[in-house]
Amino acid sequence: MWLLFSIACALSDSLATICNKHLMKSKQNPISVSLFIHGFGTLAMFGIIFASNKSMLITQTTLGLVIVTALIATLAGLIILVSLKKGDLSLIAPIQTTTPLLILLLAIFFLQETPSPIGLLGIILVVVGGVVLDKNPKESFTSIARRIVSYKPALLALLAAGLYAVASILDEVGLKHTSPLIWMLYIYFFIFL
């Protein structure tokens, strides 16, 4: 089942990135786009939770964690929208593939989680694949690194990837205290705010 969820997540994330780039090309304001996405997400989660008769109460500690996570995710989302507005999607999307590597490093240090050798290989392949997608046939990996460092939208995308990685670690911690639906409702709600 995890494979199906992983594929669905990757497809929906790719579609969202393409739609976000299209919105940014049509001169939409990144804050307006973020407000719409998270406002719609809040209403959808609220509707699902209301229909399932689940309690929406959370503890004060969990609420604090939600607020910090939402602030980090908001900042990351706005930064990636700005990078999409200013840069080329074909150059920015591969930078986002560094997020799993950053999550792995943070999970090792903060959650004491280590991937299996196959999981580690998969993460490395995702990151290398993202870099290779952006690589010209005659270009070296060091020239790619120099190009990324000199291209401000790519640096913004890298910063967003780091912030998304931190938010993912906080999501993992928060989900130990509440259900995924309740967590998502509060995250979307506070990002919307």
Side-chain angles (χ1 to χ4, degrees), residues 101 104 108 114-126:
L101 180 62
L104 168 71
I108 289 170
T114 53
S116 67
I118 299 249
L120 182 59
L121 178 64
I123 290 169
I124 291 169
L125 287 174
V126 166

Side-chain angles (χ1 to χ4, degrees), residues 59-85:
T59 66
Q60 249 182 320
T61 304
T62 305
L63 182 61
L65 191 56
V66 163
I67 291 170
V68 170
T69 305
L71 287 172
I72 292 170
T74 300
L75 186 58
L78 290 174
I79 289 170
I80 197 65
L81 288 172
V82 169
S83 73
L84 287 170
K85 186 171 188 155

